[in-house]
Amino acid sequence: MKVVTLMRLKDQEERLKETFPNIEFTFYKHPNLADEEVLKDADVLVSYHSEVDESFLDKCKQLKLIAWFATGVNQLPLDYINKRNIKLTNAKGVHAIQIAEFIFAYILNDIKLFKETYESQKKRAFNHKLSPDSINDKTILFLGTGKIPERTAEVAKAFNMKVIGINTTGHDVSGFDEVYSIEERRQVFNKADFIVNVLPETEDTIHLLQKADFEHMKADAHFINVGRGTVVKEAVLVEALNNKEIRYASIDVFEEEPLPATSKLYDMDNVFITAHISGNDKNNLKRSTDILVENLNQINNGNLKSLFNEVNSKAGY
């Protein structure tokens, strides 16, 4: 078997070679540096680069598996991958720990008035009249019920919060008090103090959230987006915040990235922005390689049908 990685894996490269002495590994820093003769015979491709498009995959004549070292696969040519019967796995779950921590950092930054406290600090003012709220007994709603919401729900329960989930069918998910279908979302938005988008980008989720969705949220709701920026048009979100349809937003992902310096979001007092960093963690490479190791073991055992974190290329997740 021949495995080509289109990214350097640092100390994980030696780990892979030691774990699988029977596999031929070739490591490139970037897809643009890959030798076409090597690609032609590759059985497994490891990457997360946008350069891995249909024309690039055409060079990989023997390809059986793409091991995607990111969660979102929307930039891949999924129809083409499905047509060629190439297996696809992703890094789902790798980012759950750190994104759950970011979600609660956003929540606590807001509810405990850290922004206001810091402004007082800069002015050398000892403002002991600030009165922070508590998240005890408050309700958090997740658009999406995958690994990240599951992990975050565990944290929410430790804070004695109620947890609501929204998924495609409304099927039950462990750790959630209530789960509704995505069609029912507007009926339950007004139950939530915090609404967190963690949906992947698919044809069904692009611009899913419209003006009417924000109108159905509580006026004091805090909207958090760590999923995909395309779930809502920036103009719709800005209008909802300006019109006080929601009180606050913490945003890590944007419809256009990098977020242009001209964006109105930068000027808003009721917005907290991070630069698509909520999934970053020094352990990501190891965790993603753990998934690759699991799947290479499966393939070595002749089992290509039961891969860990396999993506449905038709559905896009």
Side-chain angles (χ1 to χ4, degrees):
M1 187 184 351
K2 296 183 179 181
V3 176
V4 176
T5 78
L6 305 173
M7 51 191 285
R8 298 312 302 261
L9 302 182
K10 301 180 182 178
D11 57 323
Q12 300 302 310
E13 293 181 8
E14 285 305 311
R15 173 192 176 190
L16 286 169
K17 289 189 286 188
E18 290 173 5
T19 305
F20 302 102
N22 62 318
I23 294 179
E24 181 181 329
F25 290 94
T26 306
F27 301 98
Y28 294 105
K29 187 176 181 180
H30 192 275
N32 293 343
L33 302 174
D35 188 315
E36 290 194 18
E37 286 300 310
V38 175
L39 291 174
K40 182 179 67 176
D41 297 324
D43 298 292
V44 178
L45 209 60
V46 180
S47 187
Y48 59 71
H49 294 91
S50 59
E51 286 81 1
V52 181
D53 55 14
E54 186 171 330
S55 62
F56 187 93
L57 293 175
D58 271 335
K59 303 171 187 175
C60 308
K61 307 300 182 184
Q62 308 299 321
L63 196 60
K64 300 177 180 66
L65 169 66
I66 299 171
W68 200 242
F69 269 35
T71 303
V73 297
N74 48 290
Q75 61 182 307
L76 284 165
L78 297 176
D79 289 340
Y80 173 86
I81 290 168
N82 183 58
K83 184 178 177 181
R84 278 189 58 185
N85 293 317
I86 298 170
K87 295 284 186 176
L88 174 62
T89 61
N90 69 354
K92 181 177 65 175
V94 163
H95 308 94
I97 293 172
Q98 59 268 38
I99 292 182
E101 292 172 356
F102 259 93
I103 289 169
F104 271 92
Y106 298 137
I107 290 172
L108 293 173
N109 178 63
D110 168 34
I111 212 82
K112 295 305 180 187
L113 306 181
F114 287 159
K115 184 177 179 180
E116 292 82 350
T117 299
Y118 184 59
E119 289 301 319
S120 295
Q121 176 184 326
K122 289 195 296 182
K123 295 173 184 176
R124 296 179 176 270
F126 194 74
N127 187 358
H128 64 282
K129 294 183 179 180
L130 289 174
S131 184
D133 200 351
S134 170
I135 58 175
N136 182 68
D137 273 339
K138 284 193 164 46
T139 298
I140 185 168
L141 180 149
F142 294 95
L143 285 161
T145 56
K147 297 294 185 183
I148 293 168
E150 284 182 359
R151 170 65 180 176
T152 315
E154 293 175 0
V155 181
K157 285 300 179 183
F159 280 107
N160 194 36
M161 298 181 78
K162 182 177 181 180
V163 181
I164 297 175
I166 302 288
N167 57 33
T168 306
T169 63
H171 60 272
D172 289 341
V173 181
S174 177
F176 287 74
D177 297 301
E178 300 172 11
V179 183
Y180 299 88
S181 72
I182 204 158
E183 287 80 12
E184 297 173 298
R185 66 188 186 277
R186 291 177 184 171
Q187 300 171 33
V188 293
F189 274 155
N190 64 1
K191 293 185 175 186
D193 302 290
F194 304 95
I195 295 171
V196 186
N197 175 58
V198 283
L199 290 169
E201 182 180 297
T202 68
E203 290 181 1
D204 294 330
T205 63
I206 292 175
H207 299 158
L208 172 73
L209 298 181
Q210 302 287 323
K211 176 178 172 60
D213 289 282
F214 291 99
E215 289 174 342
H216 281 78
M217 297 178 190
K218 285 183 177 181
D220 63 349
H222 179 168
F223 175 70
I224 298 170
N225 194 2
V226 291
R228 287 292 177 264
T230 52
V231 78
V232 58
K233 288 183 178 180
E234 180 178 313
V236 171
L237 180 57
V238 167
E239 182 182 5
L241 288 159
N242 276 333
N243 293 345
K244 307 296 189 227
E245 287 157 5
I246 57 172
R247 177 182 58 83
Y248 199 76
S250 295
I251 319 167
D252 187 54
V253 290
F254 304 87
E255 188 179 20
E256 181 182 352
E257 292 190 11
L259 184 66
T262 55
S263 172
K264 293 180 180 179
L265 292 169
Y266 284 119
D267 301 318
M268 304 183 75
D269 291 333
N270 55 345
V271 173
F272 186 82
I273 292 171
T274 52
H276 205 152
I277 60 171
S278 65
N280 295 353
D281 188 278
K282 64 181 181 180
N283 296 306
N284 282 355
L285 200 57
K286 178 188 178 299
R287 292 172 184 153
S288 296
T289 306
D290 289 343
I291 297 169
L292 177 61
V293 167
E294 172 83 17
N295 287 328
L296 290 178
N297 275 321
Q298 292 282 72
I299 296 170
N300 264 345
N301 293 329
N303 185 5
L304 196 60
K305 293 183 177 180
S306 178
L307 298 178
F308 188 66
N309 267 20
E310 184 169 355
V311 174
N312 182 332
S313 56
K314 287 185 178 180
Y317 57 91

PDB file of all heavy atoms in Angstrom, residues 210-239:
ATOM      1  N   GLN A 210     -32.416  32.751   8.232  1.00  0.00           N
ATOM      2  CA  GLN A 210     -32.957  33.932   7.580  1.00  0.00           C
ATOM      3  C   GLN A 210     -33.425  34.946   8.636  1.00  0.00           C
ATOM      4  O   GLN A 210     -33.372  34.681   9.834  1.00  0.00           O
ATOM      5  CB  GLN A 210     -34.127  33.524   6.684  1.00  0.00           C
ATOM      6  CG  GLN A 210     -33.789  32.498   5.619  1.00  0.00           C
ATOM      7  CD  GLN A 210     -32.968  33.083   4.486  1.00  0.00           C
ATOM      8  OE1 GLN A 210     -33.169  34.226   4.092  1.00  0.00           O
ATOM      9  NE2 GLN A 210     -32.036  32.291   3.956  1.00  0.00           N
ATOM     10  N   LYS A 211     -33.888  36.078   8.170  1.00  0.00           N
ATOM     11  CA  LYS A 211     -34.396  37.115   9.072  1.00  0.00           C
ATOM     12  C   LYS A 211     -35.437  36.549  10.036  1.00  0.00           C
ATOM     13  O   LYS A 211     -35.420  36.850  11.241  1.00  0.00           O
ATOM     14  CB  LYS A 211     -34.988  38.253   8.238  1.00  0.00           C
ATOM     15  CG  LYS A 211     -35.639  39.369   9.045  1.00  0.00           C
ATOM     16  CD  LYS A 211     -36.149  40.471   8.134  1.00  0.00           C
ATOM     17  CE  LYS A 211     -36.975  41.497   8.901  1.00  0.00           C
ATOM     18  NZ  LYS A 211     -36.214  42.154   9.982  1.00  0.00           N
ATOM     19  N   ALA A 212     -36.323  35.686   9.531  1.00  0.00           N
ATOM     20  CA  ALA A 212     -37.389  35.118  10.368  1.00  0.00           C
ATOM     21  C   ALA A 212     -36.842  34.259  11.503  1.00  0.00           C
ATOM     22  O   ALA A 212     -37.452  34.178  12.571  1.00  0.00           O
ATOM     23  CB  ALA A 212     -38.347  34.300   9.505  1.00  0.00           C
ATOM     24  N   ASP A 213     -35.692  33.616  11.269  1.00  0.00           N
ATOM     25  CA  ASP A 213     -35.103  32.806  12.334  1.00  0.00           C
ATOM     26  C   ASP A 213     -34.707  33.673  13.516  1.00  0.00           C
ATOM     27  O   ASP A 213     -34.995  33.336  14.673  1.00  0.00           O
ATOM     28  CB  ASP A 213     -33.880  32.053  11.797  1.00  0.00           C
ATOM     29  CG  ASP A 213     -34.262  30.938  10.849  1.00  0.00           C
ATOM     30  OD1 ASP A 213     -34.688  29.876  11.332  1.00  0.00           O
ATOM     31  OD2 ASP A 213     -34.162  31.128   9.630  1.00  0.00           O
ATOM     32  N   PHE A 214     -34.062  34.797  13.243  1.00  0.00           N
ATOM     33  CA  PHE A 214     -33.630  35.678  14.335  1.00  0.00           C
ATOM     34  C   PHE A 214     -34.827  36.349  15.004  1.00  0.00           C
ATOM     35  O   PHE A 214     -34.797  36.617  16.207  1.00  0.00           O
ATOM     36  CB  PHE A 214     -32.635  36.709  13.803  1.00  0.00           C
ATOM     37  CG  PHE A 214     -31.316  36.096  13.418  1.00  0.00           C
ATOM     38  CD1 PHE A 214     -31.037  35.792  12.089  1.00  0.00           C
ATOM     39  CD2 PHE A 214     -30.363  35.789  14.382  1.00  0.00           C
ATOM     40  CE1 PHE A 214     -29.838  35.206  11.727  1.00  0.00           C
ATOM     41  CE2 PHE A 214     -29.162  35.196  14.038  1.00  0.00           C
ATOM     42  CZ  PHE A 214     -28.890  34.903  12.707  1.00  0.00           C
ATOM     43  N   GLU A 215     -35.881  36.577  14.249  1.00  0.00           N
ATOM     44  CA  GLU A 215     -37.093  37.153  14.835  1.00  0.00           C
ATOM     45  C   GLU A 215     -37.754  36.186  15.815  1.00  0.00           C
ATOM     46  O   GLU A 215     -38.481  36.631  16.715  1.00  0.00           O
ATOM     47  CB  GLU A 215     -38.075  37.518  13.720  1.00  0.00           C
ATOM     48  CG  GLU A 215     -37.621  38.716  12.891  1.00  0.00           C
ATOM     49  CD  GLU A 215     -38.522  38.977  11.693  1.00  0.00           C
ATOM     50  OE1 GLU A 215     -39.286  38.059  11.306  1.00  0.00           O
ATOM     51  OE2 GLU A 215     -38.457  40.096  11.143  1.00  0.00           O
ATOM     52  N   HIS A 216     -37.514  34.895  15.654  1.00  0.00           N
ATOM     53  CA  HIS A 216     -38.085  33.900  16.561  1.00  0.00           C
ATOM     54  C   HIS A 216     -37.198  33.633  17.785  1.00  0.00           C
ATOM     55  O   HIS A 216     -37.597  32.887  18.682  1.00  0.00           O
ATOM     56  CB  HIS A 216     -38.331  32.580  15.823  1.00  0.00           C
ATOM     57  CG  HIS A 216     -39.580  32.588  14.991  1.00  0.00           C
ATOM     58  ND1 HIS A 216     -39.659  33.199  13.759  1.00  0.00           N
ATOM     59  CD2 HIS A 216     -40.815  32.066  15.236  1.00  0.00           C
ATOM     60  CE1 HIS A 216     -40.882  33.049  13.272  1.00  0.00           C
ATOM     61  NE2 HIS A 216     -41.599  32.377  14.141  1.00  0.00           N
ATOM     62  N   MET A 217     -36.022  34.243  17.842  1.00  0.00           N
ATOM     63  CA  MET A 217     -35.143  34.085  18.995  1.00  0.00           C
ATOM     64  C   MET A 217     -35.501  35.089  20.073  1.00  0.00           C
ATOM     65  O   MET A 217     -36.146  36.113  19.808  1.00  0.00           O
ATOM     66  CB  MET A 217     -33.672  34.273  18.576  1.00  0.00           C
ATOM     67  CG  MET A 217     -33.176  33.235  17.584  1.00  0.00           C
ATOM     68  SD  MET A 217     -31.442  33.540  17.078  1.00  0.00           S
ATOM     69  CE  MET A 217     -31.275  32.356  15.717  1.00  0.00           C
ATOM     70  N   LYS A 218     -35.088  34.816  21.301  1.00  0.00           N
ATOM     71  CA  LYS A 218     -35.287  35.769  22.386  1.00  0.00           C
ATOM     72  C   LYS A 218     -34.530  37.062  22.095  1.00  0.00           C
ATOM     73  O   LYS A 218     -33.441  37.042  21.522  1.00  0.00           O
ATOM     74  CB  LYS A 218     -34.744  35.196  23.701  1.00  0.00           C
ATOM     75  CG  LYS A 218     -35.578  34.115  24.351  1.00  0.00           C
ATOM     76  CD  LYS A 218     -34.924  33.725  25.677  1.00  0.00           C
ATOM     77  CE  LYS A 218     -35.732  32.694  26.430  1.00  0.00           C
ATOM     78  NZ  LYS A 218     -35.096  32.339  27.729  1.00  0.00           N
ATOM     79  N   ALA A 219     -35.084  38.159  22.549  1.00  0.00           N
ATOM     80  CA  ALA A 219     -34.428  39.445  22.336  1.00  0.00           C
ATOM     81  C   ALA A 219     -33.089  39.527  23.080  1.00  0.00           C
ATOM     82  O   ALA A 219     -32.201  40.288  22.682  1.00  0.00           O
ATOM     83  CB  ALA A 219     -35.341  40.587  22.770  1.00  0.00           C
ATOM     84  N   ASP A 220     -32.949  38.751  24.142  1.00  0.00           N
ATOM     85  CA  ASP A 220     -31.682  38.770  24.891  1.00  0.00           C
ATOM     86  C   ASP A 220     -30.817  37.543  24.596  1.00  0.00           C
ATOM     87  O   ASP A 220     -29.904  37.215  25.360  1.00  0.00           O
ATOM     88  CB  ASP A 220     -31.936  38.900  26.394  1.00  0.00           C
ATOM     89  CG  ASP A 220     -32.699  37.704  26.964  1.00  0.00           C
ATOM     90  OD1 ASP A 220     -33.218  36.883  26.168  1.00  0.00           O
ATOM     91  OD2 ASP A 220     -32.775  37.582  28.203  1.00  0.00           O
ATOM     92  N   ALA A 221     -31.092  36.859  23.472  1.00  0.00           N
ATOM     93  CA  ALA A 221     -30.328  35.664  23.106  1.00  0.00           C
ATOM     94  C   ALA A 221     -28.916  36.034  22.650  1.00  0.00           C
ATOM     95  O   ALA A 221     -28.662  37.111  22.103  1.00  0.00           O
ATOM     96  CB  ALA A 221     -31.042  34.904  21.996  1.00  0.00           C
ATOM     97  N   HIS A 222     -28.010  35.100  22.883  1.00  0.00           N
ATOM     98  CA  HIS A 222     -26.610  35.216  22.456  1.00  0.00           C
ATOM     99  C   HIS A 222     -26.390  34.150  21.380  1.00  0.00           C
ATOM    100  O   HIS A 222     -26.499  32.957  21.643  1.00  0.00           O
ATOM    101  CB  HIS A 222     -25.700  34.979  23.669  1.00  0.00           C
ATOM    102  CG  HIS A 222     -24.241  35.044  23.386  1.00  0.00           C
ATOM    103  ND1 HIS A 222     -23.308  35.098  24.412  1.00  0.00           N
ATOM    104  CD2 HIS A 222     -23.517  35.039  22.234  1.00  0.00           C
ATOM    105  CE1 HIS A 222     -22.088  35.129  23.884  1.00  0.00           C
ATOM    106  NE2 HIS A 222     -22.197  35.084  22.571  1.00  0.00           N
ATOM    107  N   PHE A 223     -26.104  34.597  20.159  1.00  0.00           N
ATOM    108  CA  PHE A 223     -25.865  33.692  19.027  1.00  0.00           C
ATOM    109  C   PHE A 223     -24.365  33.456  18.882  1.00  0.00           C
ATOM    110  O   PHE A 223     -23.576  34.403  18.850  1.00  0.00           O
ATOM    111  CB  PHE A 223     -26.433  34.295  17.746  1.00  0.00           C
ATOM    112  CG  PHE A 223     -26.130  33.498  16.502  1.00  0.00           C
ATOM    113  CD1 PHE A 223     -26.736  32.267  16.284  1.00  0.00           C
ATOM    114  CD2 PHE A 223     -25.240  33.978  15.549  1.00  0.00           C
ATOM    115  CE1 PHE A 223     -26.457  31.528  15.134  1.00  0.00           C
ATOM    116  CE2 PHE A 223     -24.966  33.260  14.396  1.00  0.00           C
ATOM    117  CZ  PHE A 223     -25.570  32.025  14.190  1.00  0.00           C
ATOM    118  N   ILE A 224     -23.986  32.175  18.789  1.00  0.00           N
ATOM    119  CA  ILE A 224     -22.580  31.791  18.663  1.00  0.00           C
ATOM    120  C   ILE A 224     -22.422  30.952  17.407  1.00  0.00           C
ATOM    121  O   ILE A 224     -23.172  29.992  17.198  1.00  0.00           O
ATOM    122  CB  ILE A 224     -22.119  30.975  19.902  1.00  0.00           C
ATOM    123  CG1 ILE A 224     -22.244  31.822  21.169  1.00  0.00           C
ATOM    124  CG2 ILE A 224     -20.690  30.467  19.717  1.00  0.00           C
ATOM    125  CD1 ILE A 224     -22.057  31.037  22.456  1.00  0.00           C
ATOM    126  N   ASN A 225     -21.465  31.299  16.565  1.00  0.00           N
ATOM    127  CA  ASN A 225     -21.235  30.524  15.345  1.00  0.00           C
ATOM    128  C   ASN A 225     -19.811  29.987  15.306  1.00  0.00           C
ATOM    129  O   ASN A 225     -18.849  30.740  15.148  1.00  0.00           O
ATOM    130  CB  ASN A 225     -21.505  31.363  14.092  1.00  0.00           C
ATOM    131  CG  ASN A 225     -21.599  30.492  12.850  1.00  0.00           C
ATOM    132  OD1 ASN A 225     -21.495  29.273  12.911  1.00  0.00           O
ATOM    133  ND2 ASN A 225     -21.823  31.123  11.703  1.00  0.00           N
ATOM    134  N   VAL A 226     -19.693  28.662  15.468  1.00  0.00           N
ATOM    135  CA  VAL A 226     -18.403  27.971  15.335  1.00  0.00           C
ATOM    136  C   VAL A 226     -18.509  26.879  14.271  1.00  0.00           C
ATOM    137  O   VAL A 226     -17.635  26.035  14.158  1.00  0.00           O
ATOM    138  CB  VAL A 226     -17.944  27.362  16.677  1.00  0.00           C
ATOM    139  CG1 VAL A 226     -17.563  28.439  17.671  1.00  0.00           C
ATOM    140  CG2 VAL A 226     -19.020  26.446  17.261  1.00  0.00           C
ATOM    141  N   GLY A 227     -19.618  26.906  13.507  1.00  0.00           N
ATOM    142  CA  GLY A 227     -19.831  25.897  12.466  1.00  0.00           C
ATOM    143  C   GLY A 227     -19.274  26.380  11.144  1.00  0.00           C
ATOM    144  O   GLY A 227     -18.078  26.276  10.870  1.00  0.00           O
ATOM    145  N   ARG A 228     -20.151  26.933  10.312  1.00  0.00           N
ATOM    146  CA  ARG A 228     -19.740  27.493   9.035  1.00  0.00           C
ATOM    147  C   ARG A 228     -20.364  28.878   8.879  1.00  0.00           C
ATOM    148  O   ARG A 228     -21.548  29.072   9.166  1.00  0.00           O
ATOM    149  CB  ARG A 228     -20.166  26.583   7.873  1.00  0.00           C
ATOM    150  CG  ARG A 228     -19.349  25.309   7.771  1.00  0.00           C
ATOM    151  CD  ARG A 228     -17.914  25.599   7.362  1.00  0.00           C
ATOM    152  NE  ARG A 228     -17.074  24.411   7.319  1.00  0.00           N
ATOM    153  CZ  ARG A 228     -16.283  24.004   8.297  1.00  0.00           C
ATOM    154  NH1 ARG A 228     -16.248  24.686   9.429  1.00  0.00           N
ATOM    155  NH2 ARG A 228     -15.521  22.931   8.160  1.00  0.00           N
ATOM    156  N   GLY A 229     -19.561  29.827   8.394  1.00  0.00           N
ATOM    157  CA  GLY A 229     -20.037  31.200   8.253  1.00  0.00           C
ATOM    158  C   GLY A 229     -21.155  31.342   7.249  1.00  0.00           C
ATOM    159  O   GLY A 229     -21.971  32.270   7.334  1.00  0.00           O
ATOM    160  N   THR A 230     -21.229  30.404   6.302  1.00  0.00           N
ATOM    161  CA  THR A 230     -22.246  30.492   5.249  1.00  0.00           C
ATOM    162  C   THR A 230     -23.648  30.147   5.736  1.00  0.00           C
ATOM    163  O   THR A 230     -24.601  30.236   4.958  1.00  0.00           O
ATOM    164  CB  THR A 230     -21.885  29.557   4.084  1.00  0.00           C
ATOM    165  OG1 THR A 230     -21.640  28.234   4.598  1.00  0.00           O
ATOM    166  CG2 THR A 230     -20.639  30.045   3.359  1.00  0.00           C
ATOM    167  N   VAL A 231     -23.803  29.769   6.997  1.00  0.00           N
ATOM    168  CA  VAL A 231     -25.139  29.444   7.500  1.00  0.00           C
ATOM    169  C   VAL A 231     -26.044  30.676   7.524  1.00  0.00           C
ATOM    170  O   VAL A 231     -27.271  30.566   7.510  1.00  0.00           O
ATOM    171  CB  VAL A 231     -25.057  28.802   8.905  1.00  0.00           C
ATOM    172  CG1 VAL A 231     -24.823  29.844   9.997  1.00  0.00           C
ATOM    173  CG2 VAL A 231     -26.315  27.985   9.210  1.00  0.00           C
ATOM    174  N   VAL A 232     -25.419  31.872   7.518  1.00  0.00           N
ATOM    175  CA  VAL A 232     -26.210  33.106   7.542  1.00  0.00           C
ATOM    176  C   VAL A 232     -25.477  34.183   6.745  1.00  0.00           C
ATOM    177  O   VAL A 232     -24.250  34.307   6.829  1.00  0.00           O
ATOM    178  CB  VAL A 232     -26.463  33.582   8.991  1.00  0.00           C
ATOM    179  CG1 VAL A 232     -25.166  33.809   9.761  1.00  0.00           C
ATOM    180  CG2 VAL A 232     -27.323  34.839   9.012  1.00  0.00           C
ATOM    181  N   LYS A 233     -26.218  34.941   5.960  1.00  0.00           N
ATOM    182  CA  LYS A 233     -25.623  36.075   5.267  1.00  0.00           C
ATOM    183  C   LYS A 233     -25.200  37.114   6.303  1.00  0.00           C
ATOM    184  O   LYS A 233     -25.929  37.385   7.270  1.00  0.00           O
ATOM    185  CB  LYS A 233     -26.628  36.703   4.296  1.00  0.00           C
ATOM    186  CG  LYS A 233     -26.914  35.860   3.067  1.00  0.00           C
ATOM    187  CD  LYS A 233     -27.868  36.590   2.124  1.00  0.00           C
ATOM    188  CE  LYS A 233     -28.128  35.786   0.863  1.00  0.00           C
ATOM    189  NZ  LYS A 233     -29.054  36.480  -0.061  1.00  0.00           N
ATOM    190  N   GLU A 234     -24.046  37.705   6.073  1.00  0.00           N
ATOM    191  CA  GLU A 234     -23.558  38.696   7.031  1.00  0.00           C
ATOM    192  C   GLU A 234     -24.564  39.830   7.209  1.00  0.00           C
ATOM    193  O   GLU A 234     -24.813  40.288   8.336  1.00  0.00           O
ATOM    194  CB  GLU A 234     -22.209  39.256   6.576  1.00  0.00           C
ATOM    195  CG  GLU A 234     -21.642  40.285   7.535  1.00  0.00           C
ATOM    196  CD  GLU A 234     -20.282  40.818   7.117  1.00  0.00           C
ATOM    197  OE1 GLU A 234     -19.404  39.992   6.769  1.00  0.00           O
ATOM    198  OE2 GLU A 234     -20.099  42.055   7.147  1.00  0.00           O
ATOM    199  N   ALA A 235     -25.173  40.270   6.123  1.00  0.00           N
ATOM    200  CA  ALA A 235     -26.130  41.382   6.192  1.00  0.00           C
ATOM    201  C   ALA A 235     -27.329  41.033   7.065  1.00  0.00           C
ATOM    202  O   ALA A 235     -27.858  41.892   7.785  1.00  0.00           O
ATOM    203  CB  ALA A 235     -26.593  41.758   4.788  1.00  0.00           C
ATOM    204  N   VAL A 236     -27.764  39.776   7.016  1.00  0.00           N
ATOM    205  CA  VAL A 236     -28.902  39.332   7.837  1.00  0.00           C
ATOM    206  C   VAL A 236     -28.525  39.363   9.313  1.00  0.00           C
ATOM    207  O   VAL A 236     -29.303  39.815  10.169  1.00  0.00           O
ATOM    208  CB  VAL A 236     -29.340  37.914   7.414  1.00  0.00           C
ATOM    209  CG1 VAL A 236     -30.372  37.349   8.396  1.00  0.00           C
ATOM    210  CG2 VAL A 236     -29.917  37.932   6.003  1.00  0.00           C
ATOM    211  N   LEU A 237     -27.314  38.896   9.625  1.00  0.00           N
ATOM    212  CA  LEU A 237     -26.863  38.898  11.014  1.00  0.00           C
ATOM    213  C   LEU A 237     -26.688  40.320  11.533  1.00  0.00           C
ATOM    214  O   LEU A 237     -27.110  40.635  12.658  1.00  0.00           O
ATOM    215  CB  LEU A 237     -25.543  38.126  11.129  1.00  0.00           C
ATOM    216  CG  LEU A 237     -24.924  38.035  12.519  1.00  0.00           C
ATOM    217  CD1 LEU A 237     -25.895  37.395  13.513  1.00  0.00           C
ATOM    218  CD2 LEU A 237     -23.614  37.257  12.470  1.00  0.00           C
ATOM    219  N   VAL A 238     -26.104  41.182  10.735  1.00  0.00           N
ATOM    220  CA  VAL A 238     -25.911  42.579  11.138  1.00  0.00           C
ATOM    221  C   VAL A 238     -27.261  43.240  11.408  1.00  0.00           C
ATOM    222  O   VAL A 238     -27.433  43.954  12.413  1.00  0.00           O
ATOM    223  CB  VAL A 238     -25.138  43.348  10.038  1.00  0.00           C
ATOM    224  CG1 VAL A 238     -25.202  44.859  10.288  1.00  0.00           C
ATOM    225  CG2 VAL A 238     -23.686  42.880   9.992  1.00  0.00           C
ATOM    226  N   GLU A 239     -28.229  42.978  10.538  1.00  0.00           N
ATOM    227  CA  GLU A 239     -29.561  43.567  10.723  1.00  0.00           C
ATOM    228  C   GLU A 239     -30.212  43.067  12.010  1.00  0.00           C
ATOM    229  O   GLU A 239     -30.828  43.844  12.756  1.00  0.00           O
ATOM    230  CB  GLU A 239     -30.444  43.225   9.526  1.00  0.00           C
ATOM    231  CG  GLU A 239     -31.837  43.845   9.607  1.00  0.00           C
ATOM    232  CD  GLU A 239     -32.735  43.476   8.439  1.00  0.00           C
ATOM    233  OE1 GLU A 239     -32.321  42.648   7.595  1.00  0.00           O
ATOM    234  OE2 GLU A 239     -33.862  43.993   8.372  1.00  0.00           O
TER     235      GLU A 239
END
